[in-house]
Amino acid sequence: MNKAADILEATPMVLGSPSLAQIDQEVAVPMGRIPGPTWWAAFALSGLSMLMGLSLMGYTAYRGIGLWGNNSPVFWAFPIVNFVFWIGIGHAGTLISAILFLFRQRWRNAIARFAEAMTIFAVMTAATFPVMHMGRPWLAHWVFPIPNDMRLWVNFRSPLVWDLFAISTYFTVSLMFWYIGLIPDLAAMRERAPTNAHRIIYSILSWGWTGLNRHWRHYERAYLILAGLSTPLVVSVHTIVSFDFATSVIPGWHATILPPYFVAGAVFSGFAMVLTVLIVVRKAFHMEHLITLRHLENMNKVVLATSLIVGYAYCVELFTAWYSGESIERFTFLNRVTGPYWWAFALMVLCNVLVPQVHWFRKARTSILPMFVVSILVNVGMWFERFVIVVTSLHRDFLPSSWGMYKPTLVDFGILLGSFGLFFTLVLVFVRFLPAISMTEVKASMPQAQLSVHPEEIIGQPEMEEVSV
Amino acid sequence: MFSARQCEDSLLRWLPPTPGRPGDYHEYLKSRWRNEVYTRRPTEIDFERFWNISLHEGFITATTGFLQPQDLRPEAVLEAIGEYARPSPSGIDLVLTPSPRVFDGRFANNGWLQELPHPVTTQVWGNGALMSRATAQRLQCREGDVVRLTVERRSLKIPALIEPGMADDLISIDLGYGRRIAGSIGSSVGVDAGTLRKNVADLSPWFYTGVGVETTGESSRIIRVQTHFSIEGRPIIKEASASAFRSHPLAESEAESRPHVLWSYRGYHWAMVVDLTACTGCGACSLACTAENNIPVVGPEQVSRKREMHWMRIDRYYSGSPDNPSAVYQPILCQHCDAAPCEKVCPVAATVRSPEGLNEMVYNRCVGTRYCANNCPYKVRRFNFFNYHKQLVSPAELVYNPEVTVRNRGIMEKCTFCVQRITAAKHRAKIEGRKIRDGEIQTACQQACPAEAIVFGDLNDPQSRVSQLTKETRAYHVLDDLGVRPSVTYLAKIRNPRLDTVA
Amino acid sequence: MGSLMAEQNPLEPRWNRLDHHVKVHLPIILGVAILSALLTGLVTTPVRRVEGYAPEQPIPFSHQMHAGSMKIDCRYCHIGVETGRHAAIPASSICMNCHSVAALDRPGVKLLRAAYADNRPMVWRRIHRLPDFVYFSHNLHIAAKIDCEYCHGKVREMEVASQAVSLSMGSCLSCHRNVQQRVPVVLPGLSGPENCSACHRALV
C-alpha cells in the first residue's frame, strides 16, 4: 500500500536518488563540454581505421574482388562473415529497447538509448558489406525491385533479396524508433543549448516538441507501436540472414537449426558488444549511478543464457549430422572439428561456450574486469563462429576435386578493422552530440514521475507541482 | 602443267655436277634402277618392260641381294642392356619425357597449354621431379622441396612432385620447361630438364641410371589444380570391371529419385552424355572450351589461389592402394540441372532456365554476389576476380570468338553448352524451315574429343544418340541424390582387367 | 483527463497548426515529390537520352525523299537484313547505282561522287547501336514479317534520320510480351522469346 516504497523498490536502477533536474544535468553535461583528449584519441583511432576500411573498399571496387582471399570454392569469406557479425550485433539493441520495453522491464531504461543507437550503427556498418562484396557494386541498384528500363523484376526466391527487405525494414524501423525516443531529449538539449547554432540544430531535430500532453500521448503511442514493430524484427531479421545459408544445398549450411541458432547467436554477440562499449562509456562519462552494476549483471545473465543456447546448438548440429547417417553431412562436421580449420572451431567453442560460464558466479557477473574480458572474448568467438560456418562449409563441399584452402589477404583484414572503425566512429560521434542515456525514460521511471503518488510521500523531493488536467 | 619443278630436280641442279650423273631426275631415277635394281630381277625381262611393270605394280619381287633374315641371340641383347644398367649409389633412375602440354618446349609461350593441367599431376605452369611417396619419404623431401639431381657431371635443381602410382626409385621430369627466351608467357616457367641430357649416343638420351639426388633445403611452389584425389565414397564415379558389369549391370536402382518435374520442354531439350570409359583424360575438351568461349588465362599466381577459369575441367580420382592406384578421369562441366540450385539464389535473376533445358548465364545482368557459385554442388562456376582481359594489346583481341561475350570483372561465367553454336544451328534451321538434325550441333568439347567420349543432342528426339545413350545401363548422374536433375549423364567406366597390362 | 481534440482546445494556440503544416507536412510532401521525380528521371534516362538522336551526317541524306517520295525499298540499300543479323549501312557503290547519272548537280551528290572516285568510304554516323552483349538478328524479325517501321519509326518521313524508339531492353520486351497486339501482321501464334539467352545469346 505504501506506493512510494513500492516504487522506490522498483527503481533501484538509479543510485543516490538524484532529482529529475539532476538527471538531465548528468546526462547532458558531458555533451556540453569540449571533448577531452581521450575522446579525441579514440576518435582519431577509429576515424583513421574507418577511412582505411572505406578506402580499401573503394580500391576493391576499382580493382576487383581478387584483392581478397576469396577463391573457388570459398566464394564467400570475410565480407560475409563480417556482414553476419555486424547484423547480429544489432539485435541486442532492439531486444533491449523494444522487447524489454514491452515486458515492462524498467531496468532497460538507462541503457535502451545506447543499445538502440548501437543497433543502428551496427546495421549501417553491416549494410556496407552486401554492396561492396558484389563483383559489380555500381550495379547494386539492380537488386532493388524498382522500376527499370529493362522491365525486369528481381528474383524474389533469392534469400539475398529477402535480406534486402529485412535489413532495410530493420534499419528503417530501428531508426524511427530510436529517433522518436530521442525527441523529448533533444528538446531538453534545445533548452540547454549553449550556442545559437546548437539551439537551431536541436530545435529542428526536436520537431517543435513543447511537452504538451498531446505530444506526450503521441510519443507514448508511437513508441509503443514501434516497439511492437521492432520486436518481431529481432527474430525475423536474423532468421532471414540465416536463410542465406539455410536455403542453400551446401552441407553445413543446409540445416533447419540455423534460424534459431543465428538469432540466439545474434542476441549473444549483441549483448557482448553492448557490454563492451557500455562499460567503457559509463566509466568515461561517470555515469556509474545511472548505469549500475545491476544493469550490467542483468546483461551478463542474458549473455550466459544465450551462450548456453548457442552451445546447445553446436551440440545439436553435430548430433544431427551424425544421426542423419549421411556421409557428406557427417564429413562436413568432422572436418570442422578435426580438419585444417580445427583451430577456428576450437576458438569458437572456447570463447562462446566455455568462457561465459564464469557468469554462473555472482562475483564474475558483478565485477567490471571479468565481464569486460568475457564480452570481448565472446565477440571474438562469435566472429569465429561465422567464419567456421561460412568458410569451413565451403572449402570442402560435395566434389573433392574442388576442395581448396582459403587464405585471407591484408585487404580482408583491413576491411574488417575498418568496419570496427566505422562502428566506433559512429558511436563516438553519438555520445558526443546526443544523450547516451535516455533522460526521458530514466526520469519516467523515477518515483517523482509517477503521478499517482503524492509528492510529499517521497523523501526529500519537494518540488513537483500537481498538474491539473 | 604449271612449269613447276620437282624438288629432287632442284637438288640435282644445286649439287656440284658429277660426271655421268644425269641432270634430269627422271633419268637419274631410271639410271639408278637400271644399275642397282634391274640387276636383281628374278626373271629375264628387258629393262623398259621391267621399268613400266615396276611403275605399274608399285613393287618388285626379288629373292636375292636384299636383307637376309638374321638369327637373334637373346642373350646378346640382355648383355647389351645389362651394360647400361649400372647399379647407382642412390638407386634412383631418371627418365625425361616430353611434356603432354608443351611437348619439347615449342608451346611454352602458349598460355592455354601452360594453364591446362597436366593429366596426371594436374600441375600447371611448371614441372617437377615426379616421384612416388615412398621415394620421397626415403629422400626425406616433401612436395615443393627443391632437390638437386646429378647425372654424371651435370646437375639440376628442381622441386619435388609426389604422385601416387609412380614407380619407386624412379624420377620422371617433363621436358619443355625452363625456357629462357620464350616470349612474354613462356620464359622462366618451370625447370629445364634438358640440361641433364647427354648428346653422346647411348642407350637412350632420355633415360639415366645412377642419378644422385639430394635435398637442398630450398622450396619452390608447385601449383596443382586439384589437390584431393579420392572420391571419399561419394556418388561421383561409378566404375566396374567388365565381368562384374556383365553379371550385375548398373540398372534400375540407378533410376534415380526424380523430384516433381517443374519444367516441360516442348521444343528441343539439350543434353549431353560423357562416356567415362572412353575418356582418356587428355584435356582437349577443356582446351577447346577455353578457345571457343574466350576464357582468360589467369596466370600462375591466380591459379595457385584456386582461381583458374576453366569452364570444363578433368577431375582425376584415384582408387585402390596409394602406391598403385587406378585412376579414372571425369570431365566436369556445368550440369545444366533442371532444378538448379544456382538459379534459385541469384538475386538479380542473372542465371535462369531456358525453355530448351539450358541453364543460361546472363553476363550483363550479373552483379557478382557469387551466391550461385556457393550453391553449385559441382563447383563449375567461375568468377572473374579481376579484369583478366586488360592486358591485351591490339590486335590481340582478334583472337576472341566474336560470337561469345567477353566478360568483365565481377561477373560469373560457366559452361553454356556452346549456346552460340546452338543459336547458329537453330538460325540455319529456322531459315531453312526444318528442325535441327542430330549431330548438327557439336559443342566445342565434343568436337575436340579424340575419343568421341562426349555426345550432345536433343533429348526430346528419341532417335538422337543422346537419347539412346541415356537409356544405357551404364548411365548415371553425378551426385544424383541431391535431386538437382542434371542434364549431363555419365556412362560408368568399365575396365577389363584381363587385358590391362598394368594391374 | 480525457483525450481532447486539439482544434477544440481553447488553450491551444492556433499558430501551432500552421507550424505543424510548415515544419512537418510541407517537407514530407516536397521530399516525396522530389524523390519521385529524381527516381523517374533516373530510370528513364537511357530512354530519354536516345530517342530523337539525330546526328549530323557527312551528307544531308534525306530518307523522306529517297524512301518516301521515291519509294525505294529499305532493303535496296540496307542489304544483308534478310539473310543475316545486321542491316548494313550501304557502301557508296549502292548510292552510285543511281547517282552515277542522277542528281549530279546536288552538292551532296557531288561530295559522294568525289569520295567514291577517290576510293574513300563515306563516314556515316551510326544511329542505332546496341551494346555488345545484345545479339539482335534482323533476319529473324524480317522473316516474321515485322516491318522496319515498327522499330525504326516512320523513316520515310524523316528528313534527317533519327532514332525513334529507345531500343532499350524494356522496349524490346514490351513487344515480345505482346506481339499479336503490337504487330498484327505477325503470324498468329507466334510470340517473341522472353528468356534471356534469346538475345543475350541463343534463340527460341
Side-chain angles (χ1 to χ4, degrees), chain A residues 37-49:
Chain A
T38 329
W39 188 91
W40 278 113
F43 183 71
L45 198 64
S46 71
L48 278 173
S49 167

Side-chain angles (χ1 to χ4, degrees), chain B residues 349 352-356 358 360-362 364 402-405 419-420 423 426-427 430-431, chain C residues 82-85 132-135 137 139-140 143 190 195-198 200-204:
Chain B
V352 291
R353 200 105 211 98
S354 96
E356 299 187 340
L358 257 58
E360 306 172 339
M361 183 66 220
V362 189
N364 31 302
E403 299 292 305
V404 178
T405 314
V419 70
Q420 64 277 6
T423 302
K426 287 189 63 173
H427 212 139
K430 198 159 187 164
I431 299 288
Chain C
E82 279 174 311
T83 49
R85 293 216 306 253
D132 280 348
F133 46 78
V134 179
Y135 295 85
S137 295
N139 55 351
L140 288 177
L190 209 63
N195 63 308
C196 310
S197 62
H200 300 294
R201 226 54 271 227
L203 291 170
V204 174

Side-chain angles (χ1 to χ4, degrees), chain A residues 22 49 68 85 112 145 176 196 217 251 273 306 322 343 356 385:
Chain A
Q22 267 175 302
S49 167
W68 304 340
F85 176 70
M176 289 211 308
N196 254 355
R217 266 203 339 268
M273 183 63 95
T306 45
W322 170 81
W343 48 271
E385 177 192 291

Side-chain angles (χ1 to χ4, degrees), chain B residues 124-333:
Chain B
V124 295
W125 290 101
N127 57 350
L130 192 58
M131 62 180 81
S132 72
R133 295 206 295 194
T135 312
Q137 246 168 5
R138 189 157 67 76
L139 298 170
Q140 291 179 324
C141 72
R142 290 171 316 190
E143 175 148 309
D145 285 350
V146 173
V147 294
R148 177 180 287 110
L149 300 172
T150 315
V151 174
E152 293 179 9
R153 276 188 305 273
R154 301 177 300 282
S155 80
L156 178 73
K157 286 210 292 201
I158 185 167
L161 188 58
I162 302 170
E163 190 73 20
M166 190 64 189
D168 284 339
D169 296 333
L170 177 67
I171 289 182
S172 161
I173 307 180
D174 278 352
L175 292 164
Y177 289 94
R179 285 186 59 179
R180 285 172 292 280
I181 311 171
S184 56
I185 293 174
S187 306
S188 309
V189 174
V191 177
D192 184 10
T195 55
L196 290 178
R197 276 182 52 192
K198 300 198 286 199
N199 281 329
V200 178
D202 208 335
L203 177 66
S204 162
W206 314 118
F207 183 70
Y208 300 92
T209 57
V211 175
V213 184
E214 58 190 11
T215 53
T216 60
E218 297 163 20
S219 67
S220 170
R221 187 173 61 181
I222 296 271
I223 306 170
R224 289 190 192 234
V225 162
Q226 180 181 350
T227 46
H228 203 89
F229 48 70
S230 153
I231 60 172
E232 302 283 337
R234 299 173 182 201
I236 300 170
I237 302 272
K238 284 199 165 46
E239 50 178 332
S241 68
S243 48
F245 176 64
R246 262 182 244 116
S247 45
H248 307 284
L250 307 158
E252 290 322 299
S253 60
E254 269 66 41
E256 308 124 329
S257 55
R258 305 244 140 187
H260 174 65
V261 177
L262 297 168
W263 315 95
S264 63
Y265 299 107
R266 264 170 279 131
Y268 300 107
H269 182 188
W270 303 115
M272 184 183 274
V273 171
V274 178
D275 189 351
L276 293 182
T277 312
C279 176
T280 60
C282 67
C285 53
S286 186
L287 194 50
C289 174
T290 306
E292 171 79 10
N293 293 296
N294 306 333
I295 297 175
V297 169
V298 299
E301 179 61 43
Q302 291 294 300
V303 179
S304 71
R305 286 172 175 269
K306 294 223 72 168
R307 293 177 182 165
E308 70 277 3
M309 294 297 284
H310 293 124
W311 291 2
M312 182 160 191
R313 62 173 191 265
I314 310 279
D315 288 346
R316 184 259 301 115
Y317 294 110
Y318 289 132
S319 56
S321 101
D323 296 315
N324 199 0
S326 48
V328 61
Y329 291 96
Q330 184 177 48
I332 290 273
L333 60 159

